[in-house]
């Protein structure tokens, strides 16, 4: 118990540090980039200490288990010694019957000592079992705390990027005044007024260039910004000017000195390019800013619309233009002038993808080639369990090889080393997380009671740390949900009960995905952090600060975002998903209230099998 008390003190210390990070979501304007960086450094030190603590506790647990095994082996030896002493004492008693002068005190003492040694060893075993259980509990609590602490670190990194963007905007979009002189030679055809006007114009251009250079030089991240300046289009607005002096010099040149009031202008979206951060940090939230941005974009695009006709060599395909689905070919639509990303795809076929520049009416014929895995990949399977009750809808994933782990260098130590994994046979995996409705079918049929309902141990995040709440369970996770929302407050052991039920009812072998299966299906043939690239982007998934209406509020109903190339929804964010690991169980995929960097395809978090929370759900796999 003393060890648990010490761990509680460590966790309390972590809560004290983690709380400001969580409060920063509400008050990030009040903290500077440097202050946020200091918070990250502090929390990272805590996380590193937790990592060491977890390893130390695991080592101590292993030592305790070794000692327990030794005591159990000794118990067998002591039992044999007790039996031998008992036999010897019985023999001496039998001799005493024939010869009353025989002394049996030694045999009695030996038996007494053997019994006492055996009994003491049993007590020692009981004490050791309790110590092992307590130490294992400490390991699990430390893992859970480390898991939450990492989320706060990653969220602070997000908030630091937001603060960097806002600082850059403040530093760039500022007003100032410059005095500049310009000397010109007046043309013979010019009037004096025309010459003066031309001189002032050249002076204003010089002032604008100097002011832009001055702004960039004075930025907090000047070196970073200067290296990316060619990729953006910052400008300077002239607010006003006044003539300080003007006239002809002795050499006959006309000189003008003016004072110019200027303001830097950098669109928010371009701030992210300057800093080389994800564009989601530059989403314009203010309505007036958004309208102004849209007006500016329309003006630059001349508001011209052109027809695009699109056909393909297959039927029942899907057309996406700039990420928006337009149904199947053939289609004819009107699009604004400029660049557009066009994609045509169908399960069992290679996708057509291209970026076009639309300057006039244009026709495209997309040729899709049949995939090597067309006989399995993308096939839909849904088993009938009983009456009109069906199991989760599955999509078939082909056999193949892939690289598993941190392929981009953005991952955590437990994502390394990268391994080549072979998936020997196709398998079906639910295309969404298992929903409340599907889990209710199981409960209605079996009257199953989840661990959270029995023990009141469903966690939710309070000030960034997991806190158990006896009122939370899969029926009431602490936020509004529908029958089509992913079921949460479900432990790994609850999931096993559900997959066993599916196997029994369907006659097929259902299970929790292995880590290898989960990452293979989630990657869908890609090698980036997310199946669409290395940046999470905006409104591509439900995670903390990812721009969706559910982000950091609650889980979204399943299938609200685009499928990955193999037909799976929500492999990024929404809720963490249980998976089988070689040495236990983990969760994968990130969640609605966790940082997007923890939703990378290779991120893995170790958790106890009886842990449940309102941000962890699951999906299932089925062998063919």
């Amino acid at each position: 118990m003393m060890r648990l008390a010490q761990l509680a003190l460590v966790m309390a210390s972590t809560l004290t540090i983690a709380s400001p990070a969580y409060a920063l979501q509400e008050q990030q304007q009040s903290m500077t980039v440097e202050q946020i960086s200091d918070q990250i450094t502090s929390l990272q030190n805590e996380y590193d200490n937790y990592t060491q603590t977890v390893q130390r506790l695991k080592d101590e647990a292993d030592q305790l288990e070794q000692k327990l095994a030794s005591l159990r082996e000794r118990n067998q030896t002591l039992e044999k010694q007790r039996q031998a002493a008992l036999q010897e004492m019985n023999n001496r008693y039998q001799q005493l019957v024939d010869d009353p002068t025989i002394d049996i005190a030694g045999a009695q003492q030996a038996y007494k000592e053997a019994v006492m040694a055996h009994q003491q060893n049993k007590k020692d075993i009981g004490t050791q079992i309790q110590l092992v259980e307590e130490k294992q509990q400490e390991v699990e609590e430390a893992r859970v705390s480390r898991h939450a602490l990492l989320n706060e670190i990653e969220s602070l990194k997000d908030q630091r990027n937001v603060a960097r963007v806002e600082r850059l905007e403040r530093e760039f979009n500022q007003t100032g005044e410059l005095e500049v002189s310009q000397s010109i030679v007046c043309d013979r055809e010019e009037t004096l007024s025309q010459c003066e006007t031309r001189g002032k114009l050249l002076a204003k251009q010089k002032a604008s260039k100097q002011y832009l250079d001055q702004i960039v030089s004075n930025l907090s991240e000047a070196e970073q910004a200067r290296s990316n300046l060619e990729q953006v289009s910052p400008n300077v607005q002239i607010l006003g000017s006044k003539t300080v002096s003007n006239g002809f010099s002795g050499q006959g040149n006309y000189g003008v000195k003016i004072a110019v009031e200027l303001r830097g202008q950098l669109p928010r979206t371009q701030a992210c390019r300057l800093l080389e951060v994800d564009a989601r940090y530059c989403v314009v939230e203010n309505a007036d800013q958004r309208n102004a941005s849209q007006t500016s974009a329309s003006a630059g695009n001349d508001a011209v619309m052109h027809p695009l006709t699109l056909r393909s060599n297959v039927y029942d395909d899907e057309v996406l233009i700039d990420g928006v689905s337009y149904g199947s070919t053939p289609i004819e639509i009107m699009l604004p002038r400029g660049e557009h990303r066009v994609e045509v795809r169908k399960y069992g076929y290679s996708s057509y993808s291209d970026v076009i520049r639309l300057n006039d009416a244009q026709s495209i014929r997309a040729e899709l080639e049949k995939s090597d895995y067309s006989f399995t990949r993308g096939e839909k399977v849904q088993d009938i369990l009983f009456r009109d009750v069906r199991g989760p809808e599955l999509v078939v994933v082909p056999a193949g090889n892939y690289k598993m782990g941190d392929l981009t260098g953005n991952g955590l130590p437990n994502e390394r080393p990268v391994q080549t994994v072979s998936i020997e046979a196709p398998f079906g995996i639910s295309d969404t997380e298992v929903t409340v409705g599907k889990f209710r079918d199981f409960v209605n049929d079996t009257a199953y009671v989840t661990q959270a309902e029995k023990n009141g141990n469903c966690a939710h995040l309070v000030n960034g740390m997991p806190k158990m709440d006896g009122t939370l369970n899969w029926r009431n996770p602490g936020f509004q949900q529908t029958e089509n929302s992913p079921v949460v407050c479900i432990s790994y052991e609850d999931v096993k009960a559900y997959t066993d039920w599916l196997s029994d009812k369907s006659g097929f072998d259902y299970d929790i995905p292995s880590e290898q299966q989960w990452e293979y299906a989630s990657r869908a043939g890609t090698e980036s952090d997310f199946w669409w690239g290395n940046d999470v982007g905006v409104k591509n998934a439900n995670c903390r600060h990812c721009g969706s209406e559910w982000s950091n509020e609650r889980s979204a109903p399943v299938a609200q975002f685009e499928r990955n190339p193999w037909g799976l929804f929500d492999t990024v964010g929404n809720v963490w998903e249980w998976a089988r690991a070689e040495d236990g169980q983990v969760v994968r995929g990130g969640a609605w209230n966790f940082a997007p960097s923890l939703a990378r395809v290779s991120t893995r978090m170790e958790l106890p099998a009886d842990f449940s929370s309102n941000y962890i759900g699951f999906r299932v796999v089925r062998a063919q």
Side-chain angles (χ1 to χ4, degrees):
M1 295 304 293
M2 179 61 71
R3 292 182 178 88
L4 288 172
Q6 292 171 344
L7 182 62
L9 288 174
V10 173
M11 293 179 67
S13 172
T14 303
L15 281 171
T16 302
I17 294 172
S19 295
Y22 184 81
L24 190 57
Q25 298 174 56
E26 305 288 336
Q27 304 172 355
Q28 63 184 46
Q29 292 287 348
S30 64
M31 294 184 69
T32 65
V33 174
E34 291 73 18
Q35 289 171 329
I36 297 174
S37 296
D38 289 343
Q39 287 278 6
I40 292 172
T41 300
S42 176
L43 288 179
Q44 185 63 53
N45 290 335
E46 286 297 312
Y47 178 78
D48 293 341
N49 289 338
Y50 258 118
T51 300
Q52 296 173 7
T53 299
V54 169
Q55 187 58 52
R56 176 177 57 78
L57 292 173
K58 287 175 65 176
D59 292 343
E60 291 175 0
D62 290 343
Q63 292 175 3
L64 290 173
E65 289 180 350
Q66 290 173 4
K67 185 175 180 181
L68 177 60
S70 176
L71 287 172
R72 284 173 170 159
E73 290 180 3
R74 185 167 185 267
N75 193 64
Q76 296 176 355
T77 301
L78 291 174
E79 173 62 16
K80 291 179 180 178
Q81 292 176 355
R82 187 190 68 82
Q83 291 287 350
L86 177 62
Q87 182 63 41
E88 176 62 21
M89 187 176 66
N90 287 337
N91 290 338
R92 300 290 286 178
Y93 268 116
Q94 188 62 41
Q95 293 173 6
L96 181 64
V97 171
D98 298 330
D99 185 359
T101 62
I102 292 177
D103 183 7
I104 65 172
Q108 287 177 320
Q109 183 63 28
Y111 177 68
K112 178 181 178 181
E113 291 175 355
V115 170
M116 291 178 64
H118 187 246
Q119 290 176 343
Q120 182 59 47
N121 194 70
K122 283 185 175 180
K123 291 180 181 179
D124 292 343
I125 289 174
T127 300
Q128 195 67 20
I129 289 174
Q130 183 178 357
L131 290 174
V132 168
E133 291 175 348
E134 288 177 354
K135 187 60 64 176
Q136 289 173 341
Q137 180 66 22
E138 289 183 49
V139 172
E140 292 177 355
E141 288 175 352
R143 279 177 171 172
V144 170
S145 297
R146 183 180 61 173
H147 174 60
L149 191 59
L150 181 60
N151 182 39
E152 288 307 302
I153 292 171
E154 296 302 319
S155 295
L156 273 172
K157 290 178 181 177
D158 274 354
Q159 292 161 6
R160 179 171 59 184
N161 281 335
V162 172
R164 289 174 65 204
V165 168
E166 292 178 347
R167 180 178 66 183
L168 181 65
E169 281 190 301
R170 289 193 303 271
E171 293 175 345
F172 208 102
N173 299 339
Q174 59 178 303
T175 301
E177 186 173 291
L178 285 179
E179 279 193 4
V180 292
S181 298
Q182 181 69 42
S183 178
I184 62 172
V185 177
C186 295
D187 294 337
R188 292 182 179 180
E189 293 80 7
E190 282 183 313
T191 66
L192 180 59
S193 176
Q194 289 173 331
C195 185
E196 182 180 4
T197 299
R198 185 161 63 91
K200 288 181 179 179
L201 177 60
L202 292 173
K204 289 177 182 178
Q205 291 176 344
K206 180 188 287 187
S208 298
K209 177 65 169 64
Q210 289 179 1
Y211 191 65
L212 180 59
D213 291 342
Q214 178 180 304
I215 287 176
V216 174
S217 296
N218 292 334
L219 293 174
S220 297
E221 299 186 60
E223 185 176 348
Q224 175 81 52
R226 191 174 287 108
S227 65
N228 296 311
L229 201 58
E230 293 182 359
Q231 302 178 28
V232 300
S233 303
N235 57 69
V236 174
Q237 181 183 7
I238 297 177
L239 302 177
S241 64
K242 61 182 179 181
T243 303
V244 177
S245 64
N246 64 321
F248 286 96
S249 66
Q251 289 78 27
N253 293 339
Y254 185 82
V256 60
K257 177 186 285 188
I258 62 173
V260 188
E261 185 180 7
L262 310 105
R263 179 172 61 209
Q265 290 187 325
L266 179 73
R268 187 180 180 95
T269 54
Q270 296 188 6
C272 280
R273 295 183 192 174
L274 275 184
L275 297 176
E276 292 184 339
V277 298
D278 196 329
R280 65 193 175 87
Y281 299 114
C282 293
V283 174
V284 179
E285 298 295 343
N286 181 277
D288 294 336
Q289 289 178 313
R290 187 184 303 113
N291 293 336
S293 175
Q294 291 172 348
T295 300
S296 175
S298 297
N301 224 13
D302 297 332
V304 178
M305 305 288 285
H306 295 295
L308 173 67
T309 303
L310 191 59
R311 296 180 174 86
S312 81
N313 61 323
V314 298
Y315 68 93
D316 195 26
D317 52 14
E318 183 182 15
V319 177
L320 288 94
I321 300 177
D322 299 328
V324 177
S325 176
Y326 285 86
S328 58
T329 57
I331 63 168
E332 183 173 341
I333 59 173
M334 301 294 293
L335 292 174
R337 167 186 290 173
E339 285 190 351
H340 300 279
R341 176 170 290 279
V342 178
E343 183 179 1
V344 184
R345 63 190 189 184
K346 179 178 179 179
Y347 289 126
Y349 292 81
S350 60
S351 295
Y352 168 90
S353 181
D354 195 14
V355 176
I356 64 168
R357 172 164 285 279
L358 195 61
N359 294 316
D360 204 345
Q362 189 170 344
S363 295
I364 296 176
R365 178 172 175 81
E367 295 288 336
L368 277 64
E369 295 181 0
K370 202 170 182 63
S371 168
D372 293 338
Y373 298 107
S374 60
F375 68 100
T376 54
R377 183 169 125 190
E379 180 184 352
K380 298 296 181 64
V381 177
Q382 189 174 33
D383 294 320
I384 298 176
L385 304 181
F386 55 91
R387 298 189 300 276
D388 59 345
V389 175
R390 292 177 176 267
E393 187 168 312
L394 311 175
V395 61
V396 176
V397 171
N401 300 322
Y402 78 107
K403 293 180 180 179
M404 178 180 179
D406 177 23
L407 306 184
T408 64
N410 296 324
L412 302 168
N414 67 354
E415 301 169 35
R416 307 183 192 108
V418 173
Q419 303 176 25
T420 298
V421 174
S422 178
I423 303 297
E424 301 293 342
F427 62 91
I429 183 168
S430 52
D431 62 351
T432 71
E433 294 141 343
V434 173
T435 64
V436 172
K438 292 300 181 186
F439 194 77
R440 194 183 305 279
D441 291 337
F442 161 58
V443 172
N444 289 344
D445 185 56
T446 62
Y448 182 83
V449 179
T450 63
Q451 290 193 327
E453 291 174 292
K454 289 186 292 188
N455 305 324
N457 63 349
C458 180
H460 64 128
L461 292 186
V462 177
N463 291 336
M465 297 297 288
K467 180 180 179 181
M468 298 301 176
D469 189 328
T471 67
L472 301 184
N473 54 61
W474 71 274
R475 303 174 193 269
N476 172 37
F479 49 78
Q480 185 178 3
Q481 60 180 2
T482 69
E483 290 293 284
N484 207 35
S485 297
V487 65
V488 292
C489 291
I490 301 297
S491 71
Y492 184 85
E493 294 171 1
D494 294 332
V495 180
K496 283 297 296 179
Y498 178 78
T499 56
D500 288 347
W501 174 77
L502 283 179
S503 299
D504 178 61
K505 290 295 182 180
S506 68
F508 292 97
D509 185 14
Y510 278 86
D511 204 348
I512 302 169
S514 69
E515 281 199 278
Q516 290 79 6
Q517 289 174 320
W518 191 96
E519 187 167 325
Y520 179 62
S522 299
R523 284 193 178 279
T526 65
E527 294 190 353
S528 47
D529 281 338
F530 310 97
W531 61 261
W532 57 79
N534 287 326
D535 293 328
V536 73
V538 180
K539 297 184 179 179
N540 290 325
N542 180 20
C543 48
R544 201 170 183 175
H545 307 306
C546 287
S548 79
E549 61 184 280
W550 304 280
S551 293
N552 213 33
E553 295 291 334
R554 62 187 184 279
S555 67
V558 298
Q560 297 300 303
F561 303 93
E562 191 176 353
R563 294 178 185 266
N564 78 3
W566 286 358
L568 276 67
F569 292 104
D570 300 319
T571 56
V572 178
N574 213 22
V575 295
W576 290 97
E577 300 173 14
W578 285 110
R580 291 180 286 117
E582 293 182 1
D583 56 350
Q585 59 285 321
V586 296
V587 291
R588 305 293 298 264
W592 56 272
N593 54 348
F594 277 70
S597 56
L598 296 180
R600 292 175 298 98
V601 70
S602 57
T603 302
R604 56 193 303 273
M605 297 290 182
E606 302 167 352
L607 288 175
D610 61 351
F611 181 78
S612 66
S613 74
N614 66 358
Y615 48 81
I616 298 178
F618 68 100
R619 67 179 75 219
V620 298
V621 293
R622 198 206 86 176
Q624 288 197 334

